[in-house]
Amino acid sequence: MSTRPWRPDPPSAEERIDWPADFGTRFLVTVDVEEEFDWSAPLDRRHRATTAMRAFPAAHRRFAEAGVGLTCMVDYPVAVDPASVAILSECRNDGRSEIGAQLHAWVTPPYREVVDPFTSHAGNLPLTLEAAKLDMLTEALAQGFGMRPRIFRSGRYGLGPSSLGLLAERGYRIDSSMRALHDYGDEGGMDFGGIAAHGFHRDGMVELPLTSVFDGRLRRCGPRVHRCAGQVPYGRGVLARAGLLNRIPLTPEGVGIADALAGIDRSLQDGVRLLVFSFHSPTLEPGHTPYVRDARDRAQFDLWWDAVFDRLAERGVLPTTVADILAALDRRPG
């Protein structure tokens, strides 16, 4: 297998989604619902615990009270855990939340590959193995929740050149694996540096990239400058602090409130019609991810969302659901 990172072509004007006027500008909150593991250690398929799911109901209630559903990208260890399935099934009863799929290749059978950074990105696997793992995950979700998922995310943003076609063949409608403006080539992954935050059609699928934008005085040269700055120690941090260039993904994980609000404003200025937020389910319980280490961090997580929801409301950006998105797209050809 080649270790050169796959780099998808930026969408053409014809591929870019032309949202109906009455769709307005919306936002979607996605959650990577997954097992716990040490983010600083090598991946190990023996790590399959789902104890952090006990924090999910309280967090879900908080989102529901704000009128926001959660699009839950559920991976295999969670899908085959009855307690987790019960928790997520109850959340889905809010009428807004959705059960989607997330493929963590290293913990999804069949286990035919050596676990390493390259194979952890499912799109790097041989086509037959990627397909077999996708089938195993899809069937586990269908059995656990009584319906087949419509939206997908490849763990570690590991979408490959054949992945969208595999998804379309299995009845998926939406993928949200590409993280706009991010290059994971140094980690054995894919290069999405040329993908912006706008949704587009490709290979029979709708691609909704996770929203990231460049802000700052050098934003027009963002991809090139950001790439060069990454080759200099602390280069990107210096640019951000100087107000020259800051790449802002819409996530509470590693992004402060001020940057998040700036990212929302910049996304809207750039004409992004659907903002896609994300976080990981283990972050809901302190001690499982680098982003929430203690109770103070957990309280800050809630404050982040309060501020974000306030800014979105001020700007007239409404929450949406997978069902609403598909209904809007089905009104448009292409």
Side-chain angles (χ1 to χ4, degrees), residues 4-83:
R4 184 176 182 180
W6 177 61
R7 182 181 295 116
D9 292 332
S12 65
E14 291 74 21
E15 288 178 311
R16 185 165 155 176
I17 293 173
D18 179 19
W19 295 98
D22 61 2
F23 186 74
T25 302
R26 307 285 188 98
F27 73 92
L28 186 73
V29 177
T30 66
V31 191
D32 289 356
V33 184
E34 59 192 39
E35 74 284 354
E36 301 114 45
F37 55 91
D38 184 349
W39 286 38
S40 64
L43 295 171
D44 187 331
R45 59 172 52 116
R46 293 173 298 179
H47 298 162
R48 309 171 64 83
T50 58
T51 59
M53 285 300 297
R54 60 196 168 199
F56 204 91
H60 168 260
R61 283 194 295 273
R62 208 169 189 280
F63 281 93
E65 288 168 359
V68 178
L70 296 176
T71 300
C72 302
M73 307 299 207
V74 181
D75 81 348
Y76 189 79
V78 176
V80 296
D81 174 49

Side-chain angles (χ1 to χ4, degrees), residues 161-312:
S162 301
S163 301
L164 292 178
L166 291 175
L167 292 167
E169 290 171 0
R170 286 153 177 80
Y172 285 90
R173 299 286 308 278
I174 300 172
D175 177 72
S176 185
S177 301
M178 297 187 188
R179 197 177 197 196
L181 309 180
H182 283 68
D183 179 359
Y184 295 99
D186 290 343
E187 305 171 20
M190 319 316 188
D191 180 359
F192 301 120
I195 300 297
H198 304 280
F200 59 95
H201 299 276
R202 183 168 294 173
D203 294 345
M205 292 287 293
V206 171
E207 179 62 41
L208 299 179
L210 284 83
T211 305
S212 297
V213 292
F214 283 121
D215 199 23
R217 294 193 293 277
L218 298 179
R219 61 178 303 275
R220 299 294 180 188
C221 306
R224 178 173 57 83
V225 173
H226 193 266
R227 190 182 298 272
C228 292
Q231 301 172 13
V232 179
Y234 309 109
R236 290 171 176 170
V238 170
L239 289 177
R241 288 190 293 274
L244 296 175
L245 186 67
N246 189 15
R247 184 184 63 188
I248 308 173
L250 294 188
T251 174
E253 298 174 332
V255 177
I257 290 174
D259 281 345
L261 301 184
I264 290 169
D265 292 344
R266 176 55 63 189
S267 297
L268 300 180
Q269 290 166 14
D270 287 350
V272 178
R273 295 281 301 280
L274 177 59
L275 282 61
V276 182
F277 292 79
S278 67
F279 67 93
H280 297 80
S281 62
T283 293
L284 296 172
E285 184 174 80
H288 295 296
T289 73
Y291 309 111
V292 172
R293 297 157 297 181
D294 51 35
R296 181 176 180 179
D297 287 345
R298 184 63 183 81
Q300 188 65 23
F301 176 93
D302 287 340
L303 291 174
W304 191 96
W305 284 109
D306 289 343
V308 160
F309 289 159
D310 285 347
R311 178 59 60 89
L312 291 167

